Amino acid sequence: MAKNGPGLFSDIGKKARDLLTKDYDCDQTFTITTITDTGVALSSTVAKKGGLSSGHVAAQYKHKNAVLDVKVDTESNVLTTFTLTDIPPSTKTIASFKLPDYKSGKLEAQYCHEHATFTTAVGLNQSPAFDISATIGTPSISFGAEASYASASRNFAKYNAGVSLTKPDSSASVILADKGDSLRVSYLHHLSRLNGGAVAGEISRRFSTNENTLTVGCSYVVDPHTVVKAKLNNHGNLGALLRHELVPKSFLTVSGAVDTKNLEKHPKFGLALSLKP
């Protein structure tokens, strides 16, 4: 796959979005991963959300340009994903299906060029949905759009457009989403005084309800193994987390959230532990 192109449409605004949303889950999660002598990575995850518990066991096998992933959850669902990269060059093909819901099969193809990327996906059933996205530009500036067409209803389920500006220490994006009903503007800037951390902000507006949401957040690198993050929006929702690398590739994440405009509500806390060899 080409690494010097504009990136996929899903990459537009991703850096700011990750800082403001990633790892803020207020759940309890434990994951342990082992690698067999044959190169198969086996992982087991147990999660508790509210009063409900769930879990899954996953296996991943890599061979040259091919990756096979199989995941079985506690509800007896089996998800299988097969990925081929650079066959032919600058492409990625992803085939997935879930049992017992055999109608959930999906085939996706990606093509990355120096100045453009294209993706297309189709559901493997009698009335499939068709997804397509395209991005043109450079690693510094890119324009993109995506759409999804539901053949069963013969309507477009979504169509979005966006633009991204990226510099070595900052990035900005504008996305028109939800069939033109919402607008999201985000900005992220890395600051040396945060030891390589960053500050980010996002303004979103939904035109049909005249609702505006402003979210600001920051990350601070305490040391090479520890990062703290915090975010706050204009609705009074405050979130914070600490992520620490216990040993290489193994992380402990502690997160919390509180509604500052309704302190009578109990704060929410999350704990995630991921252990890898």
Side-chain angles (χ1 to χ4, degrees):
M1 296 285 288
K3 297 182 180 180
N4 298 322
L8 301 175
F9 180 83
S10 58
D11 294 328
I12 296 179
K14 185 177 185 300
K15 292 181 179 179
R17 186 167 59 249
D18 283 351
L19 191 151
L20 296 173
T21 61
K22 190 176 181 181
D23 296 325
Y24 277 101
D25 294 331
C26 291
D27 305 327
Q28 287 75 48
T29 305
F30 176 75
T31 302
I32 185 169
T33 302
T34 60
I35 299 179
T36 66
D37 295 336
T38 58
V40 178
L42 301 174
S43 65
S44 178
T45 299
V46 178
K48 183 177 182 181
K49 184 174 183 180
L52 301 177
S53 298
S54 62
H56 67 259
V57 177
Q60 183 183 79
Y61 178 70
K62 297 181 180 180
H63 179 70
K64 296 183 179 179
N65 293 358
V67 179
L68 176 65
D69 292 278
V70 179
K71 182 170 72 174
V72 182
D73 63 25
T74 51
E75 297 181 353
S76 300
N77 295 308
V78 181
L79 175 63
T80 303
T81 305
F82 183 65
T83 305
L84 284 175
T85 304
D86 288 325
I87 302 176
S90 300
T91 66
K92 177 184 286 188
T93 303
I94 305 170
S96 64
F97 61 91
K98 188 176 183 179
L99 297 176
D101 183 13
Y102 63 92
K103 295 182 180 180
S104 63
K106 188 175 183 180
L107 181 63
E108 178 179 353
Q110 301 177 1
Y111 174 72
C112 295
H113 185 264
E114 185 177 358
H115 296 295
T117 63
F118 302 94
T119 68
T120 182
V122 58
L124 303 179
N125 52 61
Q126 293 182 347
S127 301
F130 297 90
D131 300 325
I132 187 171
S133 70
T135 308
I136 59 173
T138 68
S140 299
I141 180 171
S142 60
F143 304 86
E146 67 173 356
S148 178
Y149 179 77
S151 60
S153 61
R154 297 183 180 180
N155 290 317
F156 282 96
K158 70 175 181 180
Y159 40 85
N160 308 320
V163 58
S164 175
L165 300 173
T166 304
K167 293 183 178 181
D169 61 350
S170 63
S171 63
S173 67
V174 179
I175 298 177
L176 184 65
D178 301 317
K179 299 182 180 180
D181 186 47
S182 67
L183 181 69
R184 298 195 302 270
V185 180
S186 64
Y187 177 76
L188 178 141
H189 193 95
H190 290 278
L191 296 176
S192 59
R193 64 183 62 184
L194 294 179
N195 294 337
V199 295
E202 181 186 80
I203 301 174
S204 63
R205 176 174 175 81
R206 185 168 292 276
F207 299 108
S208 60
T209 60
N210 290 324
E211 181 183 0
N212 298 311
T213 300
L214 170 63
T215 306
V216 294
C218 69
S219 64
Y220 176 74
V221 181
V222 179
D223 57 49
H225 306 287
T226 309
V227 175
V228 294
K229 292 168 53 176
K231 66 175 181 177
L232 175 68
N233 67 20
N234 62 310
H235 302 299
N237 298 314
L238 173 66
L241 70 83
L242 181 146
R243 180 178 171 90
H244 179 70
E245 186 177 28
L246 302 171
V247 295
K249 299 181 181 180
S250 296
F251 296 91
L252 172 67
T253 303
V254 181
S255 60
V258 62
D259 186 350
T260 61
K261 292 186 178 181
N262 188 2
L263 296 178
E264 294 181 357
K265 295 177 63 177
H266 292 292
K268 298 179 180 179
F269 297 98
L271 178 66
L273 179 61
S274 177
L275 301 176
K276 294 183 180 181

